[in-house]
Every structure is written in structure tokens, then in C-alpha cells.
Amino acid sequence: MRSVRLFLWLILPAATLAAADYDVLIRDARVIDGAGNPWFRATVAVKDGRIAAVGALAGASATRVIDAHGHVVAPGFIDVHTHVEGNLERNPRADNFLLDGVTTVVTGNCGSSELNLTAWFEKIEKLGLGLNVASLVGHNTVRREVMGAANRAATPEEIRKMQELVDRAMREGAVGFSTGLEYVPGVYSNTAEVVALAKAAAARGGVYTSHMRDEGIREIEAITEAVNVGREAGMPVEISHLKIDRRRVWGASDQSLALIEKFRREGVDVVADQYPYDRAATNLGIRLPAWALAEGKIQERLADPATRRKIATEMKQNLADMGELNYGFATVARFTPDTSYEGKSIPEISAMKSRPPGVDGEIETIFDLMSAGGAGMIYRLMGEADIERIMRYPNTAIASDGGVTQFGIGSPHPRSYGTNARVLGEYVRTRGVLTLEDAIRRMTSLPARTFRLQDRGLLREGMAADLVVFDPARVEDKATFANPHQYSQGFDFVLVNGAIVVDEGKLTSARAGRTLRHP
Ligand SMILES: [Zn+2]
């Protein structure tokens, strides 16, 4: 063999001589395969967008050789809980995700997705995607299309129309059906409606993901409902961003996890995902009683003094149920009418408006913001004991619940920048909550399994060449709540479908992402 090579070297013209065995070789790497196995030392070879070989590969050549210097090479991270609609169009490279090691996102979560997936997939593909994008079809999206923000049960005719929309989205490549049962209008639905729509997704092999009706005091009921939907529709269930978000019941995650395990023993495929932070991010409207938001008539209701008082009374009761004394846990992330509120808490904004301290004034401040169109918010609601316990549960995947950021704009949740680096730096290296191999498994093969991304999530020959190279001693999230617009550090190389999109820690001009449409 060697002599044949030498012979070719002598007689072939230069252009042919340059033709290498592989497109990329990653040498001297500690391979973490994504399945949870201990690392092993090998060279990883990439050709035509696939992992072509894993082994010693001593004599192999490549167009580009990366020396990993003994650092980790792992499958690119699959973030199955994202909300990229809208901002992905502004930054189709999705810089914040790539620099956090993410090579595939699943969007359309919490009941909110694009309605016409084919048109959207075509649009974003034309823009040149930095990473791979799959989508769920959202319950709230189809319900709004058929019923608006009506606060009532769906009629059989409306259910049939919504089923048609779910079926169409599934035929267009959706990976499953998502609900956001704390949000308008999904909050007005009953379980039977959710089951009926989930069946339309199950018929085409979809997964059911749920932002449940409750994530604190009534979480046991909420998990039971989510599992029953999966059981009745005949599909796997992913509980979205599992947490305990009520101070009064901090610690209750042991019961939630025991219940999930009980259902698994009974044969229901139910797993969860989690972001590694003690604060949630969502809209301001979620703090108001759901009936007050129906039909989009919040202004009219606040204008009526008796209704306004009733809303305020229920909000005070809810605050007491949560175990909170005031709205100090609530910080504005995005408020376009007055950006000076961004990064300020509700009590701070109340003070800026010269209101006396106290919950009554804070509720009036919330009403002001709602009257101006609402706000994006960050809520400090979770305890570290629950976060760590949920993370240790073997069937919890890591997922950001983030979106594509506009660098420097607003005061977003840092999870969009730093979720994976934070798990690897804080929860693996500093606290030892997870081993490195297990953390990687929760970012790769576990989510790939649930969402049936069959050729991703494992570092094996033949799989798509989505890869990340990082130094486990150095990887670190930089984004904080006070200063969120900071990219993660330590992901030196990221490959998407075989193309190098992060090179020596810097984004390249390569756009190798594609839409992943469920067959
Ligand atoms: Zn959610």
C-alpha cells in the first residue's frame, strides 16, 4: 500500500496529489461519544458532512487537520427546548447558540410555533442557517388560528379544524406537538382537547412536549395530565423545563421525579428537560388571572374599576400562594416603550413612578406595563436544591428554553448564551453534580432519542458530523443576569454537517445548518 502511494506521488499532477483522505481530521482528542460511555483517545475523521472514521488513523490526511491537544470532542449539542421564531430570521447564524456548542435546535415549544412550517422552513433555509433547525407544532398557535383567544372549550368542529392543522404541520416535517397550558389561549383548553390534537401528531410519529398547567403547587396533577395525554394518544412525553417555581413548595421535586419514575415503570415513555438557572423568563401577562386576558381585552377590563379590583385581589392571593411577599422576584427583561425599565424589578419601577412601597402600588405598576402592551420578564422562582435534584435525574436533558439573541439589545435571560457552558463549568467541574460524560449525554443522545433525530447525538461512524471540541478545564458561561450579552468561552471548534462554523473560538462565515424535517 505504502509503495503504491509513493508511486502515485511520483506520477500524478499536483492537483490530484492534494486530494486528501478526509475533509477534516480532529487529532489527539478525548472522544466522548454522547452515549454516556467513558472518554477514549482517538482521531475523528469527517468527510462529506458525516463522521467517516473514529480511530488511530495514523496515516490519514485531510484538507484541514485540527489538533485537539487532548481536549474533548463530543457530538454537537441538541437543544430541544428553544424559541427561535422571529429572531432566527434576524441572525440566521444563531451566534449565541453556536458559541455555546449547540448545533441543532428544536423550536415551536410551549405551544407556540410557526403555523405554516413548509413556508417557514423554506424561508430560513434561504437565509443560510448556522445550525440545524427542527420544529414542533404548537397548540396555542393552532387554537388561536381556529378560536382566537376565546375562553371556552372547543366545539367538535373546532377540534376537527385544529386536528387538520396539526396533521398538516406533521406532514410538513414537525417533530411533534407542544402545549403551553399556562398561556393564552391553551390555558382555556381541557385535557380532552389536548388529547384529541396530540393524537393527530402521534399518528405521524410525533413526541408530545408540554409546558404544563402548573409548575409548583399543583405540579403532581400537571405531570399526571401530561402523562395521560401521552398514554391516551400513544406517544412519548417530554416535560418541558421541569422545575419547582413556587418558593412555598421548594423541595417538592422529589415527589415530581418519583411520579415520573412510577409512570416509566408502568411503561409510559416520559422524560424531561431543564435549564440550569434559578430564574424563569416569560411574559408579564402570566402574573394576571387567565380570564383577565381572554379575547385580548385586558385594556377594557382594567378600565372597569370593579374588574380592575377583582384582578388585583386575585393577584394578591396568587402572590400569597406562591410564598412571595412582593414582586421583588420579577424583573423587566424587555419593554420597548421605555427601555430604562429593562433590568429593573417591579418594586424598583414602582419607586421610579413615585408610588409608595407595597404590593398595591406594584400591582398598579404591572397594570401600567400591561396597558402599554406587556413586557418580557425574568422571574427568580427556583431553589438550587430542586435544580440539582432534577439535574441528577437520569432522564433529564439539558435545554436552554432560550432563543436567538440580538447582541446588546434588551436584558434577556442568560440561558440563551450560556446553558451548556454553565452545566459543564458550574455543575460538572465546580459542583460535581454530574460527570462530564453524563452531562454530554443529556445534551446529545438523550434529546436525539426523544425527538427521533436518528443520525445525530452520537459520535459514531456514519452519523452527521455535528461536533464540538472544548477544554473541560476552561469551558465557562460568561452571561449573567446583570450582564447577559456575553458569549460562552471554551468551545474552540464547532462543526455543523462537517463544516467548521467555530474555528479557534471564532465564528466563521460557513453556513451549514439545515432544517430537519421529520419524515
Ligand atoms: Zn415554557
Side-chain angles (χ1 to χ4, degrees):
M1 189 64 191
R2 199 166 287 261
S3 62
V4 172
R5 274 224 183 113
L6 185 63
F7 176 69
L8 291 174
W9 177 270
L10 291 172
I11 63 162
L12 291 177
T16 314
L17 282 176
D21 301 334
Y22 299 107
D23 299 331
V24 181
L25 277 175
I26 305 171
R27 291 206 178 278
D28 187 24
R30 268 188 278 163
V31 174
I32 294 184
D33 68 2
N37 293 312
W39 64 264
F40 58 95
R41 206 172 291 278
T43 293
V44 177
V46 171
K47 193 175 173 67
D48 299 331
R50 301 256 148 203
I51 297 168
V54 182
L57 304 177
S61 64
T63 311
R64 173 72 192 272
V65 177
I66 293 170
D67 185 345
H69 299 293
H71 297 161
V72 167
V73 58
F77 305 148
I78 298 172
D79 187 339
V80 293
H81 193 98
T82 71
H83 301 274
V84 303
E85 295 87 357
N87 277 346
L88 181 67
E89 289 89 325
R90 290 195 183 90
N91 178 4
R93 190 166 64 179
D95 301 8
N96 55 297
F97 282 114
L98 291 181
L99 289 168
D100 196 40
V102 176
T103 53
T104 297
V105 293
V106 177
T107 191
N109 279 284
C110 303
S112 183
S113 71
E114 290 289 330
L115 185 63
N116 187 337
L117 280 180
T118 296
W120 188 63
F121 283 150
E122 280 170 8
K123 179 174 159 193
I124 60 174
E125 275 173 351
K126 279 201 194 96
L127 295 171
L129 290 170
L131 41 56
N132 305 308
V133 179
S135 184
L136 297 147
V137 54
H139 176 212
N140 291 344
T141 299
V142 301
R143 196 181 214 265
R144 196 176 284 281
E145 176 72 9
V146 172
M147 301 173 61
N151 180 5
R152 59 174 174 79
T155 65
E157 174 61 11
E158 286 163 341
I159 298 241
R160 195 188 56 73
K161 282 187 184 157
M162 288 190 279
Q163 279 177 324
E164 272 171 22
L165 292 174
V166 171
D167 176 69
R168 189 186 74 190
M170 291 302 297
R171 281 186 281 113
E172 290 179 347
V175 291
F177 174 63
S178 79
T179 53
L181 298 172
E182 278 191 303
Y183 296 123
V184 173
V187 67
Y188 307 130
S189 70
N190 56 31
T191 308
E193 172 183 328
V194 178
V195 168
L197 302 193
K199 279 181 176 166
R204 295 188 182 274
V207 59
Y208 174 57
T209 75
S210 185
H211 174 143
M212 303 184 294
R213 261 183 228 279
D214 190 275
E215 300 184 318
I217 294 159
R218 286 181 301 278
E219 180 156 300
I220 292 297
E221 274 168 73
I223 291 173
T224 304
E225 180 187 31
V227 166
N228 282 338
V229 170
R231 186 146 43 190
E232 287 184 40
M235 66 205 299
V237 179
E238 172 122 349
I239 293 169
S240 299
H241 43 57
L242 183 60
K243 62 170 87 78
I244 299 293
D245 74 354
R246 296 287 182 268
R247 186 181 296 271
R248 195 160 73 69
V249 289
W250 277 2
S253 58
D254 54 351
Q255 291 151 48
S256 301
L257 295 170
L259 183 64
I260 289 171
E261 262 311 281
K262 178 184 96 76
F263 284 126
R264 284 200 70 84
R265 278 197 304 276
E266 291 171 13
V268 186
D269 181 0
V270 50
V271 296
D273 59 62
Q274 177 193 34
Y275 53 84
Y277 295 87
D278 66 355
R279 304 180 205 187
T282 185
N283 62 36
L284 182 60
I286 203 166
R287 299 267 73 87
L288 278 70
W291 60 261
L293 305 172
E295 315 284 0
K297 290 187 178 150
I298 182 64
Q299 315 270 16
E300 289 90 324
R301 293 191 181 100
L302 290 176
D304 174 59
T307 312
R308 189 182 181 100
R309 273 196 304 278
K310 185 168 168 3
I311 294 170
T313 303
E314 289 192 27
M315 286 172 71
K316 273 195 205 171
Q317 183 57 49
N318 187 253
L319 206 56
D321 290 346
M322 292 173 73
E324 301 289 343
L325 299 172
N326 56 49
Y327 285 96
F329 67 90
T331 302
V332 170
R334 192 86 176 108
F335 184 66
T336 42
D338 186 347
T339 54
S340 73
Y341 293 169
E342 292 172 1
K344 302 271 193 319
S345 71
I346 293 294
E348 285 169 338
I349 297 167
S350 250
M352 287 164 78
K353 289 170 167 282
S354 305
R355 290 203 166 103
V359 170
D360 291 315
E362 292 170 16
I363 288 176
E364 285 301 315
T365 296
I366 290 173
F367 288 166
D368 289 346
L369 298 178
M370 287 303 295
S371 299
M377 301 294 294
I378 289 175
Y379 300 121
R380 192 184 62 249
L381 293 171
M382 287 83 88
E384 275 301 331
D386 288 313
I387 294 172
E388 289 195 8
R389 186 186 289 133
I390 290 167
M391 195 179 287
R392 282 195 184 94
Y393 177 61
N395 303 321
T396 303
I398 304 298
S400 68
D401 199 4
V404 174
T405 57
Q406 291 178 270
F407 194 83
I409 294 180
S411 191
H413 196 300
R415 64 194 180 189
S416 295
Y417 286 97
T419 288
N420 294 289
R422 181 168 170 76
V423 169
L424 298 171
E426 177 70 19
Y427 290 91
V428 173
R429 187 175 62 231
T430 304
R431 298 195 207 177
V433 173
L434 301 176
T435 65
L436 184 55
E437 287 87 345
D438 193 32
I440 298 288
R441 179 184 66 85
R442 297 154 182 275
M443 298 165 180
T444 56
S445 71
L446 174 59
R449 177 214 73 111
T450 309
F451 290 76
R452 301 180 200 187
L453 304 171
Q454 307 288 16
D455 64 344
R456 289 169 209 274
L458 285 171
L459 202 163
R460 301 257 164 89
E461 239 175 79
M463 303 294 275
D466 294 344
L467 297 165
V468 56
V469 178
F470 66 95
D471 177 1
R474 202 165 47 85
V475 66
E476 192 180 4
D477 63 309
K478 297 305 233 180
T480 62
F481 288 96
N483 195 358
H485 294 286
Q486 301 190 79
Y487 295 115
S488 290
Q489 215 170 61
F491 296 107
D492 295 327
F493 297 92
V494 179
L495 280 73
V496 172
N497 295 311
I500 300 172
V501 296
V502 174
D503 193 339
E504 306 272 7
K506 299 256 182 331
L507 290 159
T508 71
S509 58
R511 302 286 183 97
R514 55 181 71 136
T515 57
L516 303 180
R517 308 185 198 193
H518 195 269

